[in-house]
Amino acid sequence: MTVQRAAGFRNGIDVRVRLRPATAATDGTFDGAWWPRSRLLSVELPELVAALDSLGVRIDRFTYAVGAWDEAPARKVLIGGRTVRTGGFASMDQQLVSLTVDDERRVDLLVVPPEADALTGVRALRLAGLREDTTSQRGLATAGSRSQVVPLAGVRAG
């Protein structure tokens, strides 16, 4: 028996990604957030590409910090019948991935660590859709990370 999944879904669960509205001004903050379920890009990248495709966002290139992931994908990955180029950089911020969209626009996503608890992950995704306070966004997304934990100023549980 063959089971087919809808694009952007893994075992019936929506891929956890959020973009700021297109009408939001670009002021150097993140363009959204992504909360992968693992540190395996060979598993996570196709799901991210499919989820963003369903939103009308076509990824042509995906760049990432080498030290943030357990494996490096091939330099060119075939996803949904088209090629997405990838590149890993040691000097890149480990809390970000950068996407080239429609061969012209750069989109930076804050990466919420896969190890983050549900409350932290959901809050980080929600905050990433806003224009304000990148320090709180970054601190919240780092909570639960295996690399470091940054204190969350002004964030209360509940």
Side-chain angles (χ1 to χ4, degrees):
M1 178 171 84
T2 302
V3 177
Q4 292 186 337
R5 302 180 284 182
F9 283 79
R10 183 181 307 153
N11 298 325
I13 300 172
D14 196 12
V15 173
R16 303 174 297 188
V17 62
R18 177 147 184 193
L19 297 175
R20 284 190 318 171
T23 56
T26 55
D27 58 0
T29 60
F30 313 115
D31 299 301
W34 175 39
W35 184 18
R37 289 181 169 76
S38 74
R39 292 187 181 272
L40 302 173
L41 280 177
S42 62
V43 174
E44 301 299 330
L45 182 56
E47 296 291 339
L48 175 64
V49 170
L52 292 176
D53 270 348
S54 71
L55 297 174
V57 177
R58 180 186 162 93
I59 298 174
D60 298 302
R61 182 162 172 78
F62 175 89
T63 58
Y64 60 95
V66 174
W69 302 92
D70 290 341
E71 65 175 26
R75 302 272 301 152
K76 293 181 179 180
V77 180
L78 187 63
I79 302 172
R82 65 184 178 83
T83 301
V84 175
R85 294 173 292 140
T86 68
F89 298 94
S91 61
M92 193 168 165
D93 187 333
Q94 292 195 5
Q95 289 181 293
L96 294 177
V97 294
S98 292
L99 317 172
T100 302
V101 177
D102 299 324
D103 268 335
E104 61 184 45
R105 186 170 58 103
R106 178 177 162 173
V107 174
D108 292 325
L109 298 180
L110 181 66
V111 178
V112 180
E115 305 85 12
D117 62 84
L119 181 62
T120 301
V122 169
R123 283 184 174 174
L125 288 174
R126 189 173 303 147
L127 279 174
L130 305 174
R131 279 187 63 227
E132 61 231 13
D133 197 6
T134 59
T135 303
S136 291
Q137 292 172 5
R138 184 178 289 269
L140 184 57
T142 307
S145 171
R146 67 181 180 191
S147 59
Q148 68 178 19
V149 176
V150 176
L152 304 176
V155 177
R156 296 183 309 159

